[in-house]
Amino acid sequence: MIRVDLKSLNKELILGHRSSIGLENSYYRPNISELLQDYLKAVDLLTISEENHLKMENIKIKQRNDALERDKDEVIALRKELEPLLALKNTLIKEGELKES
């Protein structure tokens, strides 16, 4: 939990160390959502099983695949736009209106 830089008091509350909090418990009361967010920062380091690590890796791979699919679709659309221009270029070269580059 130290490696992910959790708030000290949140760490103690997550671990159930209420007695070590002392008076700070009277002045600082994080909501459950804040504690959950802090816990989720550390869950990979706290988990012995590889399941969570593999889930996160799977999510990253899916996001990368989605990005590649979008890029592929964009390339296909650009090729379709480019085809008539290339045909025109070839026609102009054949007719001598344009020099090959």
Side-chain angles (χ1 to χ4, degrees), residues 10 17 31 35 37 40-41 46 51 53 57 63 72-73 78-79 90 95 97:
N10 287 0
H17 299 165
N31 61 35
L35 291 175
Q37 290 303 314
L40 291 176
K41 290 178 192 175
L46 297 171
E51 182 181 356
H53 174 70
E57 189 175 330
Q63 289 172 341
K72 176 184 158 191
D73 293 342
L78 290 171
R79 280 186 180 170
N90 290 334
E95 293 176 359
E97 298 289 324

Side-chain angles (χ1 to χ4, degrees), residues 35-97:
L35 291 175
L36 176 62
Q37 290 303 314
D38 270 359
Y39 173 75
L40 291 176
K41 290 178 192 175
V43 75
D44 276 338
L45 297 171
L46 297 171
T47 307
I48 294 171
S49 167
E50 287 291 315
E51 182 181 356
N52 193 57
H53 174 70
L54 293 173
K55 282 181 183 178
M56 296 306 293
E57 189 175 330
N58 192 19
I59 289 170
K60 287 178 185 177
I61 289 170
K62 285 180 181 180
Q63 289 172 341
R64 185 168 185 262
N65 284 345
D66 290 344
L68 290 172
E69 278 297 318
R70 285 191 301 274
D71 290 348
K72 176 184 158 191
D73 293 342
E74 187 177 348
V75 167
I76 290 170
L78 290 171
R79 280 186 180 170
K80 285 181 181 178
E81 286 182 35
L82 188 58
E83 284 175 4
L85 296 173
L86 290 174
L88 177 61
K89 176 186 171 190
N90 290 334
T91 302
L92 292 173
I93 289 171
K94 286 179 185 176
E95 293 176 359
E97 298 289 324

